[in-house]
Amino acid sequence: MAKSIGILTAGGDSPGLNAAIRAIGRNALNYPDMQVIGFRDGFRGLMENRTIRLDESTLSGILTMGGTILGTSRDKPRRMPVADKILDMTDKMLETYQKNHLDVLVCIGGGGTHKNAYHLAQSGLNIITLPKTIDNDLAMTDTSIGFDTALGIATEAIDRLHSTAHSHHRIIVVEIMGHNAGWLALGAGIAGGANVILIPEIPYDVEVVANAIRERSRQGKNFSIVAVAEGVLSKTQAAILQEAIEKKEKAETKEEKKLAKAEVKKIKAEQSEHLSALTRELESLTGLESRVTILGHLQRGGTPSAIDRLLATRLGTACVSLINEEQYGVMVAARGENVVAVPLEEVAGKRKTIPLDHSLLETARKIGISLGC
Ligand code: F6P
């Protein structure tokens, strides 16, 4: 049966997106009655009906390219900035889908994209998603496109930071992405030989961190690498945030809710800027000169690792099989060596953080890494 496929990439870019687009496109073009178009810049391109034909020539030479040939954005169908207003543009997107006579829209993205894709599925579109995020925080899939590459980059960064930390007898606090999950920091921290790893799942105590560093000094190791996930909180900060969240949940009037929401936002913003304060505190508690390195978007850039290329290709081709079977409303998830279709309602709005009994935490502790508590 003839199939018209639309693809979009949304949310933060990540290595392996092009490999996924290529896999879907190449596999689909094997069928004489399938055709594929891409929408530019995520859900905004869907709203504005900005398309690109994905044929042999556009799909050629993109396997090793970072980013996404389609472009991306963080725009949401229900809260789209349009001419100084925030509007629900869902209907416009449904219109584009009809205009292009699509049979299915494939959305490749992370947590935000899955919420938006589920919304479009509930609005009547045939949707399939592919998991993409360097944060590895999507529920119901073992891993996501981009995570392995980012893990490699962050690990190499920690390797390289060792030279300066060691030569100058310094503490280097290195911030690693991950949104509100510690997968990237924990993985890169262990693989890169960090001495302390702080993750959002475990609020830290600065005294415990300082003690771990002082203990290293006593053993003659006058340098330390502290790998910090970007969403991390100290125990005190976690308690303040929790209180604000509870207040928000209990708020009754619209005004109270607005104030409480603003308070939570303010605390989160302040907390995201506390890295230099932590570094100064460690310096004064340990007597070791300290520096901060923020890896930032370097972690998402450049060519995808072989693992990500394989994952993207595997998920992309499985996606085409699902389209052939007309199995819609699902995410194409990686489970061990297998690929499985998971209903979108089991993914949308859920976040996969590190369980406190995860074996990697135990592994870290067993080799003497401090987790700050
Ligand atoms: O979700 C991927 C991610 O890189 C997070 O790790 C980070 O918090 C966020 O995106 C950064 O977003 P932006 O690219 O919009 O600054």
Side-chain angles (χ1 to χ4, degrees):
M1 240 222 286
K3 286 277 181 314
S4 200
I5 304 168
I7 306 180
L8 63 81
T9 53
D13 70 319
S14 95
L17 280 171
N18 288 324
I21 295 166
R22 173 181 177 267
I24 299 169
R26 282 229 162 142
N27 192 171
L29 294 178
N30 274 337
Y31 296 89
D33 50 358
M34 278 198 187
Q35 49 174 337
V36 193
I37 58 168
F39 290 96
R40 295 189 189 272
D41 304 333
F43 293 101
R44 179 163 290 273
L46 181 64
M47 173 185 81
E48 293 168 353
N49 196 12
R50 283 188 289 121
T51 60
I52 166 176
R53 182 152 215 92
L54 294 174
D55 53 20
E56 262 311 322
S57 82
T58 32
L59 295 171
S60 178
I62 65 170
L63 175 65
T64 58
M65 280 167 56
T68 157
I69 57 162
L70 297 179
T72 186
S73 71
R74 292 200 185 275
D75 289 314
K76 306 173 181 74
R78 276 176 295 185
R79 293 185 52 77
M80 185 72 71
V82 184
D84 293 339
K85 291 203 181 89
I86 305 286
L87 301 175
D88 183 342
M89 299 305 284
T90 307
D91 285 348
K92 200 86 190 121
M93 295 183 195
L94 303 192
E95 208 179 294
T96 304
Y97 184 96
Q98 305 303 346
K99 258 190 201 157
N100 288 286
H101 307 288
L102 292 184
D103 294 291
V104 59
L105 176 68
V106 180
C107 304
I108 315 179
T113 305
H114 276 77
K115 271 193 216 163
N116 295 325
Y118 182 46
H119 165 66
L120 292 182
Q122 284 181 310
S123 309
L125 302 192
N126 292 333
I127 301 280
I128 298 186
T129 64
L130 258 62
K132 169 277 332 174
T133 166
I134 65 160
D135 304 333
N136 191 32
D137 61 350
L138 267 174
M140 307 301 287
T141 182
D142 288 354
T143 188
S144 296
I145 299 166
F147 175 63
D148 181 74
T149 310
L151 184 63
I153 297 170
T155 301
E156 191 192 333
I158 297 178
D159 287 350
R160 288 178 185 275
L161 289 169
H162 267 92
S163 318
T164 303
H166 186 258
S167 307
H168 287 261
H169 319 296
R170 283 179 181 164
I171 297 171
I172 293 195
V173 176
V174 50
E175 189 191 82
I176 295 171
M177 277 187 170
H179 200 210
N180 289 314
W183 298 105
L184 205 50
L186 181 63
I190 295 175
N195 311 105
V196 178
I197 302 175
L198 306 180
I199 55 173
E201 292 84 347
I202 305 180
Y204 71 88
D205 178 339
V206 71
E207 280 295 340
V208 175
V209 177
N211 273 339
I213 294 172
R214 283 191 291 243
E215 180 52 31
R216 281 175 53 77
S217 294
R218 276 194 287 277
Q219 293 166 7
K221 295 172 188 166
N222 281 321
F223 72 95
S224 284
I225 302 277
V226 182
V228 181
E230 63 181 349
V232 86
L233 298 170
S234 70
K235 282 192 172 163
T236 321
Q237 290 169 327
I240 294 172
L241 182 62
Q242 189 52 36
E243 204 178 302
I245 290 171
E246 277 164 21
K247 204 165 151 196
K248 189 177 109 187
E249 278 159 7
K250 280 187 202 141
E252 280 171 6
T253 66
K254 215 172 169 184
E255 191 52 27
E256 274 174 1
K257 277 190 188 135
K258 204 172 150 194
L259 281 174
K261 205 171 162 190
E263 180 64 11
V264 170
K265 208 169 160 190
K266 186 170 147 249
I267 295 169
K268 281 190 175 166
E270 283 165 6
Q271 284 166 340
S272 70
E273 283 163 14
H274 79 281
L275 204 66
S276 45
L278 167 67
T279 310
R280 281 197 304 277
E281 208 170 347
L282 288 179
E283 190 164 72
S284 97
L285 287 170
T286 62
L288 288 177
E289 195 183 7
S290 306
R291 294 284 190 275
V292 186
T293 299
I294 297 176
L295 299 183
H297 296 85
L298 276 178
Q299 294 159 102
R300 299 209 312 235
T303 190
S305 68
I307 299 260
D308 271 330
R309 294 180 204 183
L310 287 173
L311 177 68
T313 306
R314 219 153 50 95
L315 298 183
T317 52
C319 173
V320 176
S321 305
L322 291 171
I323 293 171
N324 256 325
E325 292 159 17
E326 300 186 356
Q327 200 180 330
Y328 302 129
V330 293
M331 172 177 80
V332 191
R335 291 277 169 77
E337 291 301 302
N338 300 318
V339 174
V340 295
V342 180
L344 282 178
E345 62 264 32
E346 292 179 27
V347 187
K350 312 257 163 56
R351 184 186 297 144
K352 181 182 73 181
T353 52
I354 305 178
L356 294 180
D357 60 355
H358 194 278
S359 65
L360 267 186
L361 293 173
E362 189 58 20
T363 301
R365 287 192 188 99
K366 280 183 177 165
I367 56 164
I369 295 174
S370 166
L371 298 174
C373 69

